[in-house]
Amino acid sequence: MEKPMGAVREQGQILVWVLLMLGVMGLLVGMIYEGGRMFRAWRRLRMAADAAAFAAAQWVDPDTFQASGRVVLRWPQAQRAAQEAAALNAPGAACATAYVNPLTGKVVVRCYGRIRGLLLLGEIRLAARGEARPAFGARNEGE
């Protein structure tokens, strides 16, 4: 019995499709894993930024606050406290600055970190922002 003309070229076609789909699925699984790692690292950095903001908020200048009601940080001590809190909560994280948001009166700290990507992404830079309300002498939100 003779084979049809196109039957010879169709052999192995399923194998090619299976290998192609396995490669695509492997890339998708890798991207999902990498996204999970990035999210976990960002959450850790966010918690470190919140802790750094809380630590910096402890350094409100009480004299200025009692005299004018304005929240002013003792900047060198607040910056040092923010750096130490961030380093304890997320090793390798760096806090750029601690400042008071004039609209809300909250202390804001921005922290930055890096993770090394596993796939083709290389190094991934992350940024997070933490806020804390200074509790020294404040009676209401925004004071």
Side-chain angles (χ1 to χ4, degrees):
M1 182 177 257
E2 257 182 61
K3 291 184 181 179
M5 190 74 146
V8 175
R9 292 190 293 164
E10 291 181 6
Q11 288 180 342
Q13 193 175 35
I14 296 296
L15 180 64
V16 172
W17 276 105
V18 167
L19 292 177
L20 184 66
M21 288 300 126
L22 282 175
V24 169
M25 286 174 52
L27 283 174
L28 287 175
V29 167
M31 287 176 57
I32 291 169
Y33 178 74
E34 193 74 12
R37 284 185 67 238
M38 283 191 311
F39 183 70
R40 191 177 93 202
W42 177 80
R43 283 196 42 133
R44 187 175 205 175
L45 187 65
R46 174 68 192 266
M47 287 189 291
D50 285 337
F54 183 75
Q58 305 305 310
W59 287 98
V60 172
D61 186 10
D63 298 330
T64 305
F65 184 77
Q66 288 175 351
S68 65
R70 287 183 37 234
V71 177
V72 176
L73 291 178
R74 293 180 178 167
W75 198 82
Q77 294 92 346
Q79 186 69 19
R80 190 175 325 113
Q83 289 285 351
E84 290 172 1
L88 284 174
N89 287 288
C95 290
T97 186
Y99 63 93
V100 177
N101 184 338
L103 298 176
T104 63
K106 292 183 180 180
V107 176
V108 179
V109 175
R110 294 185 186 276
C111 290
Y112 301 94
R114 298 175 178 176
I115 63 169
R116 190 169 46 102
L118 295 178
L119 296 174
L120 303 173
L121 300 178
E123 185 177 80
I124 301 165
R125 296 179 187 167
L126 302 170
R129 177 180 168 198
E131 291 184 350
R133 183 174 60 87
F136 183 83
R139 293 181 300 274
N140 298 316
E141 181 78 19
E143 280 191 355

